[in-house]
Each structure stands twice: as structure tokens, then as C-alpha cells.
Amino acid sequence: MFPQAGYTKQDVFDYYLAVGDGIQRALDHRPTTLQRFPDGIDGEAFYQKRLPARGTPDWLNGAEITFPSGRKATELCPVDLAHVAWAAQMNTVVFHAWPVRAKDPDQPDELRIDLDPQPGTDFGNAAEAAGELRAILDEIGAQGWPKTSGGRGVHVYLRIQPRWTFVEVRRATIALARALERRRPDLVTTSWWKEERGERVFVDFNQMARDRTIAAAYSLRANQRATASTPVTWDELPDVEPNDFDLRTLPERFAKVGDPHAGIDDTPFDITPLLEWSAADERDGHGDMPYPPDHPKMPGEPPRVQPSKKNPANWSDD
């Protein structure tokens, strides 16, 4: 599965069993897209968004989700570690869980902030941005749960009450991102267009759009180092490096310290303050942001044209 490191499918299987409590907490009752590598990570990969029509065990659980197009599909929905083990033996390396539970598939219960370092910045900058984000969350009484992305970035999760739509939770995420940008404009950007981002950390608000997913906590990543997206404490975050956590080292850490995200379900947050921030931004002329290119055009969305190619004669901001 990982040719340079020599890790086999058995190693991947054993890894997921070793961090079982953590990966199951991350995936529990969540529709999950599987990133599968039938010939290892050097071979061709595909994203499985539908359970196979034939050949699956009778006990395998699925959940129906709706894509932005309105089409529906039944994805794997892990309810126990056997589901993770089944996926691992099917050459799954990366687990991409939706931010919803099967019982409320259109109402996210997880708000995800993806801090993505742009060229000229690195993981340390993302960790610094996460620290600034934590201060904002503290001010509104929200608990953030940080993890490494397994690459250069940092993810911060908020468990939220499943009362709002994807559109509303995405707008709350944009409002939070803008608050962070206002606090540290030298470090953070919300600019969707790469040409405007500069050497800053991009808050990828579109990870909260429907059908956009992030590698789950404890999921391996498809790189030669076999790193994993790893929950850490806020105290640890400034001092860790992404390469600290991989297929070999993370099971030992998990056995020693357990799961730093063990309490993530205890205090779901009411995002009303963030929606109030969003409404205030709208009144100040800062409304919605562009959606990903594969989404249908959304009400109130600005033009999906990068600024350097925008012809003022063809567009109006009204």
C-alpha cells in the first residue's frame, strides 16, 4: 500500500484497529466517502461515494446523502469498528466523513475550519492561526478541537447542534473566518481566488459546502510517509510537526495518551452568534462567497470569475 515505506494492507488494517476508538468516534453514524487505492498509493485511486450494489456483507450499514445536484446515493455509514475494518481490507487509505449524522443528513453537527497554508507559509503558520482562532472561540464560549491535517494544514472542529442547513453552517463558517482575518490580516486570508491570497493561511470555508469532506481524525493520508490526521491538544499544537504522526508512531501515542477528542460530543455549540456576525457582515456589504465550481449557482453568490479576468462591463455587484 505504501511502497517506499514498505507498509502493506495488513499494516493499514492493523493501524486502524489500533486507533479504533478514535477513528470510530470520528466516523460514528456519519456517511463516509472512501478513498481507495487498489494498487497502493502509487497506483490509481478512486473515491467511492456509493456502496457496491453486490458483494457487501449483510451487516454493512449505509446512509443516504444528497449531492448538490439533487442526486442521492447510499454511502458507507460506520456504526462500529467492523465497518472500518471492512473498508481497510477493501484498500481504503483515507476516510472522508460528512459533517452530518445519518439521522439528520441535511443538518451538519460539525463545523469544520480548514487552515490551509499557501505557498510561502507552512504548518507553523497554520498552527499560529489556529491559536488566534482559539481566542475568538473562547470569547463566544465555543470549544474548538484541533488536529493536524496529515499534511501542511490544521483542522479545527466544533461540535454544533444539528439545527441548521449546510447553507447556514457555511455562512457561519465564513463569518468566523472573516473575524479571524480581521484579527490577523497579516497571517490569514479568506480570499477564494489564489491570486489574492498572498503568503498567508487560507481559511477554506468551502469545506462546509455540501459534499465537501475532510480527512477524518485518525485517517491515514495518501503520501509516502503514511502520515495521519491526528487530534492534538491546544497545548501540543504549537510544538508538533505533521511528520510526528504516522502509521507506525500514532498507535503507540494512542495507547499512551488516548484520544484528545474524546470529549468532542459533550458540549454542542449554538451557532446563533456566528449567524449574527454573518448578518452584520451582509449589512456591511460582505455577503456570500463563491461556491466550489462543481456546485450549482447559489442564491446571493457572487460571480465565479477570478478578479483578474472579470470584465466590469459584464458584471454588476448589485
Side-chain angles (χ1 to χ4, degrees), residues 24 46 66 76-77 86 93 96-98 103 146 175 189 203 207 209-210 237 265 274 297 304 311 313:
Q24 183 54 36
F46 68 96
T66 304
L76 181 71
C77 184
W86 174 84
V93 172
H96 297 267
W98 279 53
K103 66 178 181 179
T189 179
V203 186
Q207 294 293 1
R210 182 184 289 273
L237 183 60
D265 292 319
L274 299 180
K297 184 70 174 177
R304 295 183 193 175
N311 184 347

PDB file of all heavy atoms in Angstrom, residues 24 46 66 76-77 86 93 96-98 103 146 175 189 203 207 209-210 237 265 274 297 304 311 313:
ATOM      1  N   GLN A  24     -13.380   5.414  15.093  1.00  0.00           N
ATOM      2  CA  GLN A  24     -14.813   5.171  15.154  1.00  0.00           C
ATOM      3  C   GLN A  24     -15.561   6.380  15.708  1.00  0.00           C
ATOM      4  O   GLN A  24     -16.653   6.698  15.255  1.00  0.00           O
ATOM      5  CB  GLN A  24     -15.116   3.927  15.990  1.00  0.00           C
ATOM      6  CG  GLN A  24     -16.594   3.568  16.054  1.00  0.00           C
ATOM      7  CD  GLN A  24     -17.244   3.430  14.679  1.00  0.00           C
ATOM      8  OE1 GLN A  24     -16.611   2.947  13.734  1.00  0.00           O
ATOM      9  NE2 GLN A  24     -18.488   3.850  14.554  1.00  0.00           N
ATOM     10  N   PHE A  46      -9.535   6.003  -6.434  1.00  0.00           N
ATOM     11  CA  PHE A  46     -10.873   6.496  -6.734  1.00  0.00           C
ATOM     12  C   PHE A  46     -11.623   6.742  -5.428  1.00  0.00           C
ATOM     13  O   PHE A  46     -11.308   6.169  -4.392  1.00  0.00           O
ATOM     14  CB  PHE A  46     -11.657   5.539  -7.641  1.00  0.00           C
ATOM     15  CG  PHE A  46     -12.031   4.227  -7.005  1.00  0.00           C
ATOM     16  CD1 PHE A  46     -13.293   4.049  -6.435  1.00  0.00           C
ATOM     17  CD2 PHE A  46     -11.140   3.164  -6.977  1.00  0.00           C
ATOM     18  CE1 PHE A  46     -13.648   2.837  -5.865  1.00  0.00           C
ATOM     19  CE2 PHE A  46     -11.489   1.953  -6.418  1.00  0.00           C
ATOM     20  CZ  PHE A  46     -12.747   1.779  -5.852  1.00  0.00           C
ATOM     21  N   THR A  66     -27.507  13.431  -0.108  1.00  0.00           N
ATOM     22  CA  THR A  66     -27.941  14.145  -1.301  1.00  0.00           C
ATOM     23  C   THR A  66     -26.816  15.038  -1.781  1.00  0.00           C
ATOM     24  O   THR A  66     -26.285  15.851  -1.009  1.00  0.00           O
ATOM     25  CB  THR A  66     -29.187  14.997  -1.010  1.00  0.00           C
ATOM     26  OG1 THR A  66     -30.222  14.167  -0.481  1.00  0.00           O
ATOM     27  CG2 THR A  66     -29.689  15.684  -2.275  1.00  0.00           C
ATOM     28  N   LEU A  76     -21.253   4.337   2.738  1.00  0.00           N
ATOM     29  CA  LEU A  76     -20.922   3.612   3.957  1.00  0.00           C
ATOM     30  C   LEU A  76     -21.175   4.505   5.162  1.00  0.00           C
ATOM     31  O   LEU A  76     -20.855   5.694   5.140  1.00  0.00           O
ATOM     32  CB  LEU A  76     -19.447   3.196   3.941  1.00  0.00           C
ATOM     33  CG  LEU A  76     -18.977   2.398   5.168  1.00  0.00           C
ATOM     34  CD1 LEU A  76     -19.575   0.990   5.155  1.00  0.00           C
ATOM     35  CD2 LEU A  76     -17.457   2.342   5.218  1.00  0.00           C
ATOM     36  N   CYS A  77     -21.759   3.929   6.209  1.00  0.00           N
ATOM     37  CA  CYS A  77     -22.044   4.683   7.435  1.00  0.00           C
ATOM     38  C   CYS A  77     -21.591   3.834   8.623  1.00  0.00           C
ATOM     39  O   CYS A  77     -22.354   3.021   9.142  1.00  0.00           O
ATOM     40  CB  CYS A  77     -23.534   5.001   7.513  1.00  0.00           C
ATOM     41  SG  CYS A  77     -23.977   6.021   8.939  1.00  0.00           S
ATOM     42  N   TRP A  86     -13.691  -3.465   7.397  1.00  0.00           N
ATOM     43  CA  TRP A  86     -14.142  -3.864   6.051  1.00  0.00           C
ATOM     44  C   TRP A  86     -13.574  -2.918   5.005  1.00  0.00           C
ATOM     45  O   TRP A  86     -13.061  -3.360   3.966  1.00  0.00           O
ATOM     46  CB  TRP A  86     -15.670  -3.871   5.989  1.00  0.00           C
ATOM     47  CG  TRP A  86     -16.195  -4.132   4.605  1.00  0.00           C
ATOM     48  CD1 TRP A  86     -16.389  -5.333   4.008  1.00  0.00           C
ATOM     49  CD2 TRP A  86     -16.562  -3.133   3.632  1.00  0.00           C
ATOM     50  NE1 TRP A  86     -16.853  -5.161   2.728  1.00  0.00           N
ATOM     51  CE2 TRP A  86     -16.973  -3.827   2.466  1.00  0.00           C
ATOM     52  CE3 TRP A  86     -16.583  -1.738   3.640  1.00  0.00           C
ATOM     53  CZ2 TRP A  86     -17.398  -3.158   1.324  1.00  0.00           C
ATOM     54  CZ3 TRP A  86     -17.006  -1.076   2.494  1.00  0.00           C
ATOM     55  CH2 TRP A  86     -17.413  -1.782   1.350  1.00  0.00           C
ATOM     56  N   VAL A  93      -7.549   3.864   2.132  1.00  0.00           N
ATOM     57  CA  VAL A  93      -6.493   4.535   2.892  1.00  0.00           C
ATOM     58  C   VAL A  93      -7.060   5.723   3.646  1.00  0.00           C
ATOM     59  O   VAL A  93      -6.786   5.911   4.823  1.00  0.00           O
ATOM     60  CB  VAL A  93      -5.339   4.976   1.969  1.00  0.00           C
ATOM     61  CG1 VAL A  93      -4.331   5.842   2.725  1.00  0.00           C
ATOM     62  CG2 VAL A  93      -4.639   3.762   1.373  1.00  0.00           C
ATOM     63  N   HIS A  96     -13.220   9.907   4.430  1.00  0.00           N
ATOM     64  CA  HIS A  96     -13.745  11.273   4.329  1.00  0.00           C
ATOM     65  C   HIS A  96     -15.181  11.279   4.850  1.00  0.00           C
ATOM     66  O   HIS A  96     -16.119  10.944   4.117  1.00  0.00           O
ATOM     67  CB  HIS A  96     -13.725  11.756   2.881  1.00  0.00           C
ATOM     68  CG  HIS A  96     -12.356  11.863   2.269  1.00  0.00           C
ATOM     69  ND1 HIS A  96     -11.636  13.025   2.275  1.00  0.00           N
ATOM     70  CD2 HIS A  96     -11.574  10.944   1.643  1.00  0.00           C
ATOM     71  CE1 HIS A  96     -10.475  12.835   1.668  1.00  0.00           C
ATOM     72  NE2 HIS A  96     -10.411  11.577   1.268  1.00  0.00           N
ATOM     73  N   ALA A  97     -15.345  11.651   6.102  1.00  0.00           N
ATOM     74  CA  ALA A  97     -16.680  11.645   6.708  1.00  0.00           C
ATOM     75  C   ALA A  97     -17.416  12.950   6.441  1.00  0.00           C
ATOM     76  O   ALA A  97     -16.831  14.036   6.501  1.00  0.00           O
ATOM     77  CB  ALA A  97     -16.569  11.416   8.207  1.00  0.00           C
ATOM     78  N   TRP A  98     -18.706  12.845   6.158  1.00  0.00           N
ATOM     79  CA  TRP A  98     -19.554  14.026   6.062  1.00  0.00           C
ATOM     80  C   TRP A  98     -19.712  14.651   7.456  1.00  0.00           C
ATOM     81  O   TRP A  98     -19.618  13.940   8.470  1.00  0.00           O
ATOM     82  CB  TRP A  98     -20.936  13.639   5.521  1.00  0.00           C
ATOM     83  CG  TRP A  98     -21.001  13.488   4.032  1.00  0.00           C
ATOM     84  CD1 TRP A  98     -20.198  12.715   3.256  1.00  0.00           C
ATOM     85  CD2 TRP A  98     -21.940  14.119   3.154  1.00  0.00           C
ATOM     86  NE1 TRP A  98     -20.567  12.822   1.944  1.00  0.00           N
ATOM     87  CE2 TRP A  98     -21.635  13.670   1.845  1.00  0.00           C
ATOM     88  CE3 TRP A  98     -23.003  14.998   3.331  1.00  0.00           C
ATOM     89  CZ2 TRP A  98     -22.353  14.094   0.729  1.00  0.00           C
ATOM     90  CZ3 TRP A  98     -23.729  15.412   2.219  1.00  0.00           C
ATOM     91  CH2 TRP A  98     -23.403  14.980   0.938  1.00  0.00           C
ATOM     92  N   LYS A 103     -29.053  10.266  10.794  1.00  0.00           N
ATOM     93  CA  LYS A 103     -30.436  10.606  11.134  1.00  0.00           C
ATOM     94  C   LYS A 103     -30.800  12.036  10.731  1.00  0.00           C
ATOM     95  O   LYS A 103     -31.985  12.363  10.600  1.00  0.00           O
ATOM     96  CB  LYS A 103     -30.681  10.408  12.627  1.00  0.00           C
ATOM     97  CG  LYS A 103     -29.896  11.345  13.531  1.00  0.00           C
ATOM     98  CD  LYS A 103     -30.235  11.113  14.994  1.00  0.00           C
ATOM     99  CE  LYS A 103     -29.477  12.063  15.908  1.00  0.00           C
ATOM    100  NZ  LYS A 103     -29.821  11.851  17.335  1.00  0.00           N
ATOM    101  N   PRO A 146      -8.641  20.838  17.855  1.00  0.00           N
ATOM    102  CA  PRO A 146      -7.671  20.887  16.765  1.00  0.00           C
ATOM    103  C   PRO A 146      -7.114  19.515  16.402  1.00  0.00           C
ATOM    104  O   PRO A 146      -7.049  18.597  17.233  1.00  0.00           O
ATOM    105  CB  PRO A 146      -6.562  21.773  17.340  1.00  0.00           C
ATOM    106  CG  PRO A 146      -6.593  21.478  18.817  1.00  0.00           C
ATOM    107  CD  PRO A 146      -8.048  21.234  19.156  1.00  0.00           C
ATOM    108  N   ALA A 175     -18.343  33.699   8.405  1.00  0.00           N
ATOM    109  CA  ALA A 175     -18.314  34.778   9.403  1.00  0.00           C
ATOM    110  C   ALA A 175     -17.165  34.582  10.385  1.00  0.00           C
ATOM    111  O   ALA A 175     -16.457  35.537  10.745  1.00  0.00           O
ATOM    112  CB  ALA A 175     -19.644  34.845  10.142  1.00  0.00           C
ATOM    113  N   THR A 189      -6.140  34.797   5.396  1.00  0.00           N
ATOM    114  CA  THR A 189      -6.954  35.324   4.296  1.00  0.00           C
ATOM    115  C   THR A 189      -8.180  34.448   4.090  1.00  0.00           C
ATOM    116  O   THR A 189      -8.142  33.234   4.322  1.00  0.00           O
ATOM    117  CB  THR A 189      -6.152  35.398   2.987  1.00  0.00           C
ATOM    118  OG1 THR A 189      -7.002  35.894   1.937  1.00  0.00           O
ATOM    119  CG2 THR A 189      -5.618  34.029   2.575  1.00  0.00           C
ATOM    120  N   VAL A 203      -8.343  30.288   4.982  1.00  0.00           N
ATOM    121  CA  VAL A 203      -9.414  29.586   5.688  1.00  0.00           C
ATOM    122  C   VAL A 203     -10.385  29.074   4.628  1.00  0.00           C
ATOM    123  O   VAL A 203     -11.152  29.840   4.042  1.00  0.00           O
ATOM    124  CB  VAL A 203     -10.153  30.500   6.690  1.00  0.00           C
ATOM    125  CG1 VAL A 203     -11.150  29.672   7.502  1.00  0.00           C
ATOM    126  CG2 VAL A 203      -9.169  31.200   7.617  1.00  0.00           C
ATOM    127  N   GLN A 207     -15.060  24.056   2.646  1.00  0.00           N
ATOM    128  CA  GLN A 207     -15.099  22.706   3.200  1.00  0.00           C
ATOM    129  C   GLN A 207     -16.410  22.449   3.935  1.00  0.00           C
ATOM    130  O   GLN A 207     -16.710  21.305   4.272  1.00  0.00           O
ATOM    131  CB  GLN A 207     -13.907  22.468   4.131  1.00  0.00           C
ATOM    132  CG  GLN A 207     -12.563  22.464   3.436  1.00  0.00           C
ATOM    133  CD  GLN A 207     -12.379  21.292   2.477  1.00  0.00           C
ATOM    134  OE1 GLN A 207     -13.261  20.463   2.300  1.00  0.00           O
ATOM    135  NE2 GLN A 207     -11.221  21.222   1.845  1.00  0.00           N
ATOM    136  N   ALA A 209     -19.292  23.347   2.470  1.00  0.00           N
ATOM    137  CA  ALA A 209     -20.320  23.196   1.435  1.00  0.00           C
ATOM    138  C   ALA A 209     -20.750  21.733   1.359  1.00  0.00           C
ATOM    139  O   ALA A 209     -19.990  20.823   1.702  1.00  0.00           O
ATOM    140  CB  ALA A 209     -19.788  23.668   0.084  1.00  0.00           C
ATOM    141  N   ARG A 210     -21.954  21.506   0.925  1.00  0.00           N
ATOM    142  CA  ARG A 210     -22.461  20.132   0.798  1.00  0.00           C
ATOM    143  C   ARG A 210     -21.545  19.293  -0.087  1.00  0.00           C
ATOM    144  O   ARG A 210     -21.088  19.731  -1.136  1.00  0.00           O
ATOM    145  CB  ARG A 210     -23.878  20.177   0.207  1.00  0.00           C
ATOM    146  CG  ARG A 210     -24.531  18.810   0.063  1.00  0.00           C
ATOM    147  CD  ARG A 210     -25.878  18.924  -0.619  1.00  0.00           C
ATOM    148  NE  ARG A 210     -26.875  19.556   0.232  1.00  0.00           N
ATOM    149  CZ  ARG A 210     -27.638  18.917   1.123  1.00  0.00           C
ATOM    150  NH1 ARG A 210     -27.495  17.611   1.287  1.00  0.00           N
ATOM    151  NH2 ARG A 210     -28.524  19.566   1.838  1.00  0.00           N
ATOM    152  N   LEU A 237      -0.267  21.756  20.126  1.00  0.00           N
ATOM    153  CA  LEU A 237      -0.293  22.193  18.729  1.00  0.00           C
ATOM    154  C   LEU A 237       0.904  23.042  18.303  1.00  0.00           C
ATOM    155  O   LEU A 237       1.458  22.814  17.221  1.00  0.00           O
ATOM    156  CB  LEU A 237      -1.611  22.933  18.439  1.00  0.00           C
ATOM    157  CG  LEU A 237      -1.812  23.381  16.991  1.00  0.00           C
ATOM    158  CD1 LEU A 237      -1.798  22.194  16.038  1.00  0.00           C
ATOM    159  CD2 LEU A 237      -3.112  24.174  16.848  1.00  0.00           C
ATOM    160  N   ASP A 265     -18.113  15.333  21.777  1.00  0.00           N
ATOM    161  CA  ASP A 265     -19.572  15.276  21.689  1.00  0.00           C
ATOM    162  C   ASP A 265     -20.283  15.858  22.911  1.00  0.00           C
ATOM    163  O   ASP A 265     -21.509  15.936  22.927  1.00  0.00           O
ATOM    164  CB  ASP A 265     -20.024  13.826  21.505  1.00  0.00           C
ATOM    165  CG  ASP A 265     -19.619  13.245  20.170  1.00  0.00           C
ATOM    166  OD1 ASP A 265     -19.725  13.966  19.155  1.00  0.00           O
ATOM    167  OD2 ASP A 265     -19.180  12.085  20.123  1.00  0.00           O
ATOM    168  N   LEU A 274     -22.590  33.263  15.521  1.00  0.00           N
ATOM    169  CA  LEU A 274     -21.903  33.318  14.239  1.00  0.00           C
ATOM    170  C   LEU A 274     -22.848  33.751  13.128  1.00  0.00           C
ATOM    171  O   LEU A 274     -22.453  34.484  12.213  1.00  0.00           O
ATOM    172  CB  LEU A 274     -21.288  31.961  13.913  1.00  0.00           C
ATOM    173  CG  LEU A 274     -20.243  31.431  14.894  1.00  0.00           C
ATOM    174  CD1 LEU A 274     -19.717  30.074  14.436  1.00  0.00           C
ATOM    175  CD2 LEU A 274     -19.102  32.425  15.056  1.00  0.00           C
ATOM    176  N   LYS A 297     -25.114  27.147  -9.200  1.00  0.00           N
ATOM    177  CA  LYS A 297     -25.108  28.550  -8.782  1.00  0.00           C
ATOM    178  C   LYS A 297     -26.097  28.727  -7.639  1.00  0.00           C
ATOM    179  O   LYS A 297     -27.244  28.274  -7.708  1.00  0.00           O
ATOM    180  CB  LYS A 297     -25.490  29.441  -9.960  1.00  0.00           C
ATOM    181  CG  LYS A 297     -25.432  30.930  -9.660  1.00  0.00           C
ATOM    182  CD  LYS A 297     -24.022  31.412  -9.490  1.00  0.00           C
ATOM    183  CE  LYS A 297     -23.975  32.934  -9.325  1.00  0.00           C
ATOM    184  NZ  LYS A 297     -22.614  33.425  -9.098  1.00  0.00           N
ATOM    185  N   ARG A 304     -18.427  33.700 -10.156  1.00  0.00           N
ATOM    186  CA  ARG A 304     -17.308  32.757 -10.052  1.00  0.00           C
ATOM    187  C   ARG A 304     -16.274  33.079 -11.124  1.00  0.00           C
ATOM    188  O   ARG A 304     -15.956  32.262 -11.984  1.00  0.00           O
ATOM    189  CB  ARG A 304     -17.801  31.327 -10.193  1.00  0.00           C
ATOM    190  CG  ARG A 304     -18.720  30.869  -9.071  1.00  0.00           C
ATOM    191  CD  ARG A 304     -19.097  29.413  -9.243  1.00  0.00           C
ATOM    192  NE  ARG A 304     -20.194  29.036  -8.364  1.00  0.00           N
ATOM    193  CZ  ARG A 304     -20.775  27.842  -8.375  1.00  0.00           C
ATOM    194  NH1 ARG A 304     -20.360  26.926  -9.239  1.00  0.00           N
ATOM    195  NH2 ARG A 304     -21.765  27.570  -7.553  1.00  0.00           N
ATOM    196  N   ASN A 311     -14.586  41.156 -16.255  1.00  0.00           N
ATOM    197  CA  ASN A 311     -14.862  42.316 -17.103  1.00  0.00           C
ATOM    198  C   ASN A 311     -15.975  43.130 -16.469  1.00  0.00           C
ATOM    199  O   ASN A 311     -17.122  42.683 -16.437  1.00  0.00           O
ATOM    200  CB  ASN A 311     -15.254  41.853 -18.504  1.00  0.00           C
ATOM    201  CG  ASN A 311     -15.467  43.020 -19.456  1.00  0.00           C
ATOM    202  OD1 ASN A 311     -15.564  44.177 -19.047  1.00  0.00           O
ATOM    203  ND2 ASN A 311     -15.533  42.706 -20.759  1.00  0.00           N
ATOM    204  N   ALA A 313     -17.751  45.388 -17.474  1.00  0.00           N
ATOM    205  CA  ALA A 313     -18.883  45.644 -18.367  1.00  0.00           C
ATOM    206  C   ALA A 313     -19.891  44.512 -18.344  1.00  0.00           C
ATOM    207  O   ALA A 313     -21.060  44.700 -18.692  1.00  0.00           O
ATOM    208  CB  ALA A 313     -18.379  45.865 -19.797  1.00  0.00           C
TER     209      ALA A 313
END
